[in-house]
């Protein structure tokens, strides 16, 4: 997951958003959510969706907002943490 951000362990930005770990770097961000649809927490909601529930820090909000005038938006990747592993879900 770290490689998707373009950062290494010493330069990665890490944030927490209601049960979601957010790893951000110069080439993108990875949102690692929990499996399940627990009310009031971020996570995999169903087969088609992930819900991110705030409050969120300003760096996380900036990742989720895209201003076309600033150029191409860095990719946002999503993964789910299971008891056995972290599974990559894809870009969002």
């Amino acid at each position: 997951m770290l490689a998707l951000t373009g950062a290494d362990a010493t330069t990665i930005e890490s944030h927490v958003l209601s049960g979601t770990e957010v790893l951000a770097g110069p080439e993108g961000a990875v949102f690692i959510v929990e499996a399940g649809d627990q009310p009031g927490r971020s996570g995999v909601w169903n087969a088609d969706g992930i819900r991110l529930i705030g409050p969120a820090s300003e760096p996380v909000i900036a990742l989720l907002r895209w201003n076309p005038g600033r150029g191409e938006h860095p990719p946002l990747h999503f993964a789910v943490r299971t008891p056995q592993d972290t599974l990559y879900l894809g870009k969002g």
Side-chain angles (χ1 to χ4, degrees), residues 62-83:
L63 286 170
L64 295 171
R65 287 186 182 150
W66 179 59
N67 179 343
R70 288 188 290 187
E72 187 175 331
H73 192 285
L76 302 178
H77 302 275
F78 291 87
V80 62
R81 188 179 319 280
T82 70

Side-chain angles (χ1 to χ4, degrees), residues 30-50:
V30 179
F31 291 75
I32 303 172
V33 299
E34 297 175 358
D37 59 352
Q38 301 173 21
R41 293 188 59 86
S42 299
V44 175
W45 194 254
N46 59 35
D48 298 317
I50 292 172

